[in-house]
Structures are given as structure tokens and as C-alpha cells.
Amino acid sequence: MPSLASARYGKDNVRVYKVERDAETGTQSVTEMTVCALLEGAIETSYTEADNSVVVATDSIKNTIYIKAKEHPVNPPELYASYLGQHFVNKYAHITTAHIKVTVHRWTRMTIDGKPHPHSFYRDGEETRTVEATVTKDGLDIKSGINGLTVLKSTGSAFHGFLRDEYTTLKETWDRILSTDVDASWTWGRFASVAAVETGVDRFDRAWNAARTITMKTFAEDESASVQNTMYKMCEQILDAEPEVNLTGYSLPNKHYFEIDLSWHNGLKNTGADAEVYAPQGGPNGLIKCVVARS
Ligand SMILES: O=c1[nH]c(=O)c2[nH]c(=O)[nH]c2[nH]1
């Protein structure tokens, strides 16, 4: 006899835009985000017995995402995710957990004639700010992050001393290109309530700024021995910077740039110290992950 081992459902890819108008200065600020809200609880019978009486329609979940964006600030996204998740577990007795994911897209204010423009913005990259909130009747677990921040350094990266055996063809290198799409996250200690999230709410923007700065500064300045070691150094610094963060981690593709031997063409030198033209690779790519916990 089979039984339902786990179930959650909701609305994904809900795109939301909110504008904030400052009547005094005439300045407007905008936020664009994509929201996913999935619910868990006493919903088994909807799967096993076609009992739709326990189903909050995903259409209603979508409506709620818009209404909560109207009723509450959407910044920082951790706070909005908390209000939204709390609504579902408070409103419906049989819903025990709301899984909220918010992805914030970049709209950076234009500078025109040296001045910040009051209402015009541009997309300065595919990087997003992410939040995953798991909201129950007993508390909130929040994981914040950065995704899709593409970086490259043209030197200052080596990879040698790795295990060599009959499967190995890779040459050791003391100078290589390093490029990745940063996926970073930091997990907060449990919040007992939305009130606890609201108290000291500045922590979220501060941590996001710190993680972004640490990521880029360490990437740029570290004489990298490997992706593994460089990402570990980033994690250590994020834990140092944010005492309320318990875990931090990265998932980094190693996007390879291959040397091209052009010596067959008039003896053209384009390898080793003479390498200038490289072939960026699509795949395969390395994929290096870690999570570092506060001890
Ligand atoms: O930084 C690296 N880590 C690896 O584990 C690895 N493996 C590989 O082929 N190149 C690299 N680079």
C-alpha cells in the first residue's frame, strides 16, 4: 500500500514590481522580484482522496503574493518573505509550513549628467539577491543569498599539486584564468517570530553588502591556490562579519578558458607565457561547493 511521503504545492514564477514614490523629493524607487510560495500541512487528502476542501488554490496564493506586496514593504526581501509566509500559517489552521522564495532582480538608478535620475534605472547584470524563508507556526528559518554574479580574473590563480594517477591529463598551472558565476548563501539563526525579524531589520542589507564585498574583494585579491581554498576564505570572512549567521556556503562553477596552440600557423606563439587568445568553454565545467558552519 503506497503512502504520500511528502507534498507541497503553490505558485511559482510570480513576477512582482513595486514602486515607492517620495512625494517630497519626487524620487521614485523600484523593486522587481520573482516569488515562489509553496504550502505544506494537512493536505494529504487532496492527493489521495481528491478532497479539494483542504486546497488553498494556487491562484489565491498568487493573489496573496500581490496583496502582501501592497500591504507591506518588499524591502529587505527577507522581511517581505517573512510577512508572506507568516500570513499562510496564521490564516489557515491546517497549513503548517510556508516555503517562500524571493528572487530580486537588479534595477540600478541611472546617473544622468552626473546626477542620480529620479525615476530611470538600468539592468547592470543578471545577478540576483535571493531569500528562502521556511515559515512555521513556531518560527522562521531564513537563508539569504547572491546568485548569478559572474566574475573573472585574468591572473592571480594557480592549480598545482593535485592528485596524479593513470586518469590524469591536466597540467599543473601557476597562472591561469579564473571565472565563475557566484552562488553564495548565508543562513540566519532561527527567528522566533516576524517581530524578531523586524527587530534589527538592517542586518539583512548589511549582510548582503558584506557578502558581496567579501566575495569580490577575496576573489580579486586572493592568490588563489584553488576554487576550494578561495571560497573557504570567503566563508570565514562572512561568518566573522555577521554574528547572527550560522552557516555560509558557495556553489561555484569553474568556467574553463583553454589555451589555443597556434604554432601550426607560421610558428605563432600563443601558449604558456605567450598565451593571449583563449577559447572560453561552455561545458563541461568544474562545480565546487561548500558550506561552512560557525564552530
Ligand atoms: O580550483 C580547482 N579545483 C579543482 O578541484 C579542479 N579540478 C580541475 O581539473 N581544475 C580545478 N581547479
Side-chain angles (χ1 to χ4, degrees), residues 157-159 162 170 176 178 224-229 254 256 286 288:
S157 166
F159 188 60
F162 49 87
L170 185 70
R176 66 173 181 175
L178 188 59
S224 175
S226 64
V227 174
Q228 284 90 332
N229 184 239
N254 188 8
H256 306 303
I288 323 281

Side-chain angles (χ1 to χ4, degrees), residues 16-295:
V16 183
Y17 164 95
K18 185 172 185 183
V19 64
E20 206 182 298
R21 300 184 185 92
D22 186 327
E24 244 165 60
T25 63
T27 300
Q28 304 196 352
S29 299
V30 301
T31 303
E32 184 166 337
M33 56 190 181
T34 304
V35 181
C36 176
L38 303 183
L39 306 183
E40 245 184 297
I43 55 174
E44 292 86 349
T45 53
S46 67
Y47 293 83
T48 58
E49 295 168 29
D51 170 18
N52 286 343
S53 70
V54 296
V55 178
V56 179
T58 71
D59 192 64
S60 314
I61 295 172
K62 173 208 66 186
N63 292 340
T64 308
I65 290 170
Y66 296 139
I67 291 165
K68 294 299 149 186
K70 174 72 181 176
E71 290 177 345
H72 295 287
V74 293
N75 286 300
E78 288 87 349
L79 184 62
Y80 170 70
S82 300
Y83 287 131
L84 182 61
Q86 186 200 38
H87 165 85
F88 291 115
V89 296
N90 283 358
K91 172 92 179 155
Y92 306 107
H94 71 295
I95 297 300
T96 51
T97 309
H99 302 269
I100 309 296
K101 181 157 189 203
V102 179
T103 303
V104 183
H105 308 283
R106 289 180 76 79
W107 283 126
T108 299
R109 191 175 296 283
M110 285 187 192
T111 302
I112 302 294
D113 296 333
K115 282 185 289 194
H117 195 270
H119 59 248
S120 296
F121 308 86
Y122 67 106
R123 174 80 31 95
D124 64 344
E126 291 311 308
E127 175 193 351
T128 56
R129 175 171 172 176
T130 60
V131 175
E132 284 177 43
T134 306
V135 183
T136 67
K137 298 184 202 288
D138 305 321
L140 299 91
D141 293 305
I142 300 180
K143 182 160 112 173
S144 306
I146 292 167
N147 203 9
L149 169 63
T150 301
V151 292
L152 176 146
K153 67 194 289 188
S154 53
T155 188
S157 166
F159 188 60
H160 48 81
F162 49 87
L163 189 155
R164 296 204 83 82
D165 61 16
E166 66 276 27
Y167 293 93
T168 312
T169 54
L170 185 70
K171 287 199 191 119
E172 294 185 297
T173 179
W174 280 259
D175 185 8
R176 66 173 181 175
I177 295 161
L178 188 59
S179 179
T180 191
D181 305 321
V182 174
D183 176 349
S185 63
W186 49 99
T187 304
W188 300 88
R190 172 168 268 242
F191 296 97
S193 63
V194 173
V197 175
E198 284 170 327
T199 308
V201 74
D202 292 350
R203 64 169 80 81
F204 298 111
D205 284 353
R206 192 185 58 225
W208 176 78
N209 273 308
R212 205 165 177 265
T213 302
I214 287 164
T215 299
M216 290 211 255
K217 188 169 161 63
T218 309
F219 181 82
E221 294 181 352
D222 186 37
E223 281 300 323
S224 175
S226 64
V227 174
Q228 284 90 332
N229 184 239
T230 300
M231 74 206 293
Y232 186 77
K233 289 175 179 171
M234 293 172 181
C235 289
E236 283 182 315
Q237 292 175 71
I238 292 174
L239 288 176
D240 268 357
E242 287 303 329
E244 289 181 84
V245 165
N246 287 340
L247 288 177
T248 181
Y250 283 84
S251 173
L252 300 179
N254 188 8
K255 301 172 79 176
H256 306 303
Y257 285 68
F258 286 173
E259 283 190 8
I260 311 168
D261 184 351
L262 297 175
S263 60
W264 54 271
H265 181 80
N266 302 328
L268 213 49
K269 290 184 177 159
N270 191 53
T271 56
D274 297 310
E276 290 177 309
V277 176
Y278 293 76
Q281 301 297 296
N285 56 269
L287 182 60
I288 323 281
K289 294 173 178 254
C290 76
V291 176
V292 179
R294 189 180 296 286
S295 50

